[in-house]
Amino acid sequence: MASNWRLFAAVVSVSSLLVGGAACGSDSGGDTVTITANAINSAGGKNAAEAKWIEDWVIPKFVAQQQAKGVTVQVKFQATGVPDEDYKSRIAKDLKTGTGADVVSLDGIWVGEFAEGEQIKPLDELVGADRVKAWDGWQHIPETVQRLTSYNGTQYGIPQETDGRVLFFNRKLFQQAGMPADWQPTSWDQVLEAGRKLKAVPGITPVQLNAGTSFGEATTTQGVLPLLAGTGSNLFENGKWVGNTAKLRKVLDFYRALYGEQLGDAELQQDAKGREKSFEKFAKGQVGILLESDYFWRGVLNPRGGSFPMADRDTQVGWAKIPAATPGTGLNNQDFVSVSGGGGRVINPKSKHVEMAWELLQFMNSPEAFSALIAGGGPRITARQDVNADALGEDPMLTFVSEQILPITSLRPALPEYTKVSKALAQATLDVVTGKSTADAAAAYGKAAEEAVGKDKVAGD
């Protein structure tokens, strides 16, 4: 899941917390309230650090906090360890039938779908607008990040984590190609020019820009969407999906130029394990530029436990903001753009303990809670800038994302049709990478989008 969510790694794969289950008593006074914590993570398994945080820190600290208020709370933890889609199906069934958790973790990309299905309700409606507004955490969460758990301008939960996409580059290869260690392109043409210079370095792939269907969601989030944002367009705007438009064709033109000049490896984009291989090649110094999220830095190249550890990461890996097509032509007339994933937690609208759920939701998104999570699991970008300022101070890359990328980022459409549109976009990139003309690839995409969501919901020009 976005999230990150490590979807955020594609796809965002989120560590999903639930709080719910059998309960008795009331949410006040001296009665006992019992809630059950159930997570998609497990100690020693998937997202083990977060599972440990829930069990060893969240539960005892929350119980103590409530005890100090005169409320006895019993919290039980049950790890599940199911795949993301199985988790999604499970909570969808629970919410429809009025069972399951009191507090539910959702990938940001699912919020719109669950909201449209009336499986979740706005926080204002559940808790009260004044109480929601009074939470002091909002002032520390950028508006762009708050949208992870909102839909149509309405807030359904509190975001937990996010990420940001940048251009990573190998400083050693840049030096061999005669380029600066502090490279920051200001247009797509400058990215292509850097690729042309890197092409002179033997045995490397100058630029890795995800393309094709084998890369799945990574093609959309680490390729098409950042480029589309660089043209000044969202994938979904004014009530319609982007179809065969001039801006979409501009994106495909860039793909065609990059792979047509053999600045990228077209065969790698068709490999079933292409994304993993691109990571490995970068770690070995065989890729010059790669567009990815901060997960690439902390989860892939990390010398201490990364999937493809790079011993000299801290000195040899640089990062730069993704430029708009030309200065000032990005979303909101920005010079630079990005895309973020992530997710957060919502309250089950049929919970018998909404008051306690709101207490827990606030607690789990407090500075103390996030700091404890980071201390146990390593640096990560939380939704809170005050936490990030303290926790990420020693990591220049994550600090860069927190301070410079999150304020300019954009999100994927939180709509149920997104998955089908995303697959059509991936096919369009595959088409141009394998030789089809931009016009033909864009036309095929436009038709596929119309079939997926309805002709009246697709914009073209």
Side-chain angles (χ1 to χ4, degrees):
M1 289 167 33
S3 274
N4 26 218
W5 291 243
R6 271 75 52 196
L7 238 186
F8 282 35
V11 275
V12 295
S13 169
V14 55
S15 61
S16 301
L17 169 75
L18 308 180
V19 180
C24 60
S26 65
D27 286 355
S28 61
D31 296 331
T32 299
V33 176
T34 302
I35 53 180
T36 302
N38 181 16
I40 194 173
N41 40 33
S42 57
K46 182 177 182 179
N47 298 321
E50 189 158 356
K52 183 175 177 59
W53 169 70
I54 294 167
E55 192 164 21
D56 295 349
W57 195 92
V58 172
I59 292 175
K61 293 291 185 180
F62 181 68
V63 169
Q65 181 204 61
Q66 293 302 310
Q67 188 67 54
K69 297 179 181 180
V71 180
T72 301
V73 183
Q74 182 181 8
V75 183
K76 300 177 181 178
F77 176 65
Q78 299 174 348
T80 55
V82 299
D84 294 341
E85 286 305 313
D86 290 344
Y87 169 72
K88 180 185 178 184
S89 297
R90 178 178 299 179
I91 60 175
K93 181 180 180 180
D94 287 345
L95 291 170
K96 284 181 180 179
T97 58
T99 59
D102 295 299
V103 176
V104 182
S105 275
L106 288 183
D107 185 350
I109 200 64
W110 299 344
V111 172
E113 180 178 351
F114 279 74
E116 285 200 343
E118 298 184 346
Q119 294 156 281
I120 58 176
K121 292 184 178 181
L123 280 178
D124 285 0
E125 182 178 336
L126 294 172
V127 181
D130 289 343
R131 294 188 64 197
V132 172
K133 185 178 180 180
W135 183 55
D136 61 2
W138 297 120
Q139 64 184 302
H140 300 292
I141 303 176
E143 191 276 333
T144 52
V145 179
Q146 290 184 31
R147 293 203 301 268
L148 281 168
T149 50
S150 70
Y151 179 63
N152 285 342
T154 299
Q155 201 69 34
Y156 284 81
I158 298 178
Q160 180 191 6
E161 290 184 351
T162 188
D163 58 12
R165 279 142 189 83
V166 301
L167 294 174
F168 288 97
F169 60 94
N170 186 305
R171 290 192 174 110
K172 185 180 295 184
L173 297 180
F174 266 52
Q175 182 180 29
Q176 294 179 44
M179 290 187 291
D182 59 350
W183 179 67
Q184 176 56 71
T186 59
S187 69
W188 292 358
D189 284 344
Q190 289 187 1
V191 175
L192 292 174
E193 182 58 31
R196 294 179 187 117
K197 291 180 179 179
L198 286 165
K199 195 174 181 180
V201 180
I204 71 164
T205 298
V207 183
Q208 169 56 30
L209 177 65
N210 291 351
T213 54
S214 66
F215 277 66
E217 179 62 16
T219 289
T220 311
T221 51
Q222 273 85 246
V224 178
L225 292 187
L227 292 177
L228 193 59
T231 70
S233 176
N234 283 302
L235 180 58
F236 184 84
E237 53 189 12
N238 300 319
K240 291 192 175 185
W241 295 89
V242 166
N244 183 4
T245 65
K247 291 179 178 179
L248 187 280
R249 293 192 294 274
K250 190 176 185 71
V251 170
L252 296 180
D253 276 338
F254 182 78
Y255 269 100
R256 186 169 175 80
L258 192 153
Y259 284 98
E261 293 185 41
Q262 297 182 332
L263 303 180
D265 185 344
E267 292 186 4
L268 185 65
Q269 308 316 300
Q270 301 169 68
D271 193 308
K273 296 183 178 181
R275 189 166 185 238
E276 290 75 15
K277 290 181 179 180
S278 72
F279 289 168
E280 183 178 15
K281 286 167 66 70
F282 189 101
K284 291 180 177 180
Q286 298 170 359
V287 174
I289 302 168
L290 185 148
L291 195 161
E292 254 294 344
S293 78
D294 57 84
Y295 162 76
F296 184 62
W297 171 264
R298 58 183 168 82
V300 177
L301 301 181
N302 195 333
R304 296 166 294 280
S307 55
F308 293 102
M310 190 173 179
D312 56 357
R313 179 200 68 174
D314 294 355
T315 58
Q316 295 305 321
V317 178
W319 51 86
K321 289 181 281 190
I322 302 168
T326 55
T329 61
L331 284 173
N332 305 313
N333 300 314
Q334 294 170 186
D335 295 329
F336 302 98
V337 298
S338 188
V339 171
S340 291
R345 299 185 173 96
V346 301
I347 296 175
N348 186 332
K350 296 184 179 180
S351 168
K352 296 179 181 179
H353 300 287
V354 169
E355 296 294 321
M356 188 59 68
W358 175 238
E359 290 285 327
L360 182 58
L361 196 58
Q362 295 174 88
F363 180 77
M364 297 188 72
N365 288 276
S366 66
E368 297 78 14
F370 278 135
S371 296
L373 175 60
I374 291 172
R380 63 178 71 192
I381 298 173
T382 74
R384 298 186 61 128
Q385 293 291 58
D386 54 343
V387 174
N388 295 338
D390 291 335
L392 305 179
E394 297 182 2
D395 192 309
M397 194 279 139
L398 297 182
T399 298
F400 175 81
V401 173
S402 176
E403 295 180 352
Q404 298 194 44
I405 300 303
L406 294 188
I408 63 171
T409 198
S410 56
L411 304 176
R412 296 170 296 168
L415 295 167
E417 302 94 342
Y418 171 77
T419 300
K420 293 180 180 180
V421 176
S422 177
K423 290 179 179 179
L425 286 170
Q427 182 61 52
T429 64
L430 179 62
D431 288 344
V432 293
V433 165
T434 54
K436 184 175 286 189
S437 71
T438 292
D440 288 345
Y445 161 73
K447 183 177 181 181
E450 290 175 356
E451 292 175 349
V453 305
K455 189 173 183 179
D456 60 329
K457 294 183 179 180
V458 178
D461 57 32

